Amino acid sequence: FEAAVCGLEDDSLEMETRAGQSVLQGAELRQLMAAAQAVVGTAPVTGPGIVVTVDNPAPGGEFDECDPSLQVVLDYDLQQVLNGLWAVGAEAVSINDERVTPLTAMRSVNDVILVNIRPIAPPYVISAIGDPQRLAGEFLDGPGGQYLQQIFQTCGIQFTIENRESRRLPRGGASLQVAEHLTNSTEARRPS
């Protein structure tokens, strides 16, 4: 009888040890998942960073030599800002509260800029999470900041850069979808 009790005690200790390990592994997996969700944009994020605001020129500016069609902020301009922020270490970015993810589409349709298929309007407020001192300094000196300085000098596009102690960026709206391979060749044909 004593051997059976000792065996049950050993089994109980072994199960407790495994359960404790599972709890630790679960916590590690939850942390890993949260970090991955923040990176791909499927979860909201909060942290320090910068805000870059880009806007059309003030009326009555002195930029007569600039093509009037370029005296408005274009989707290309915003893409240059985004690329400049990613290049200097931004961890997460949004434009006018639309989270920019690997699946984000940004384009112009007529005079409207769409981000995630939603129209946005000036001023364009681009929030970036990351080390504010590094982001602000390196962005301004990098390709994104240099581009903004150039379009300000040539066409009057306005911009400001501000450090922020804390910004909250929403989760992205796009969901991942996986393509499936069709095995039956008749299924792959288009309907007539």
Side-chain angles (χ1 to χ4, degrees), residues 1 5 9 13 36 38 42 44 46 52 59 68 70 75 77 79 81 88 91-92 95 99 130 152 157 184:
F1 181 72
V5 169
E9 285 177 348
L13 286 173
T42 58
T46 302
V52 179
L70 298 177
D75 59 340
D77 302 327
Q79 289 168 355
V81 173
V88 298
E91 298 168 20
I95 299 177
R99 181 74 175 272
F152 169 73
I157 301 295
N184 185 341

Side-chain angles (χ1 to χ4, degrees), residues 160-175:
T160 60
I161 301 172
E162 302 172 53
N163 289 359
R164 294 288 172 89
E165 287 184 28
S166 182
R167 290 294 291 167
R168 178 174 167 76
L169 305 187
R171 70 184 279 293
S175 62

Side-chain angles (χ1 to χ4, degrees), residues 182-192:
L182 296 175
T183 56
N184 185 341
S185 62
T186 60
E187 292 176 30
R189 292 188 198 145
R190 292 183 178 200
S192 335

Side-chain angles (χ1 to χ4, degrees), residues 133-188:
Q133 301 304 320
R134 177 176 174 225
L135 286 179
E138 291 184 20
F139 174 76
L140 193 57
D141 294 336
Q146 295 296 311
Y147 180 81
L148 284 177
Q149 291 174 51
Q150 178 187 354
I151 63 174
F152 169 73
Q153 292 169 355
T154 58
C155 294
I157 301 295
Q158 305 173 71
F159 73 96
T160 60
I161 301 172
E162 302 172 53
N163 289 359
R164 294 288 172 89
E165 287 184 28
S166 182
R167 290 294 291 167
R168 178 174 167 76
L169 305 187
R171 70 184 279 293
S175 62
L176 295 176
Q177 297 180 358
V178 178
E180 294 183 23
H181 178 62
L182 296 175
T183 56
N184 185 341
S185 62
T186 60
E187 292 176 30

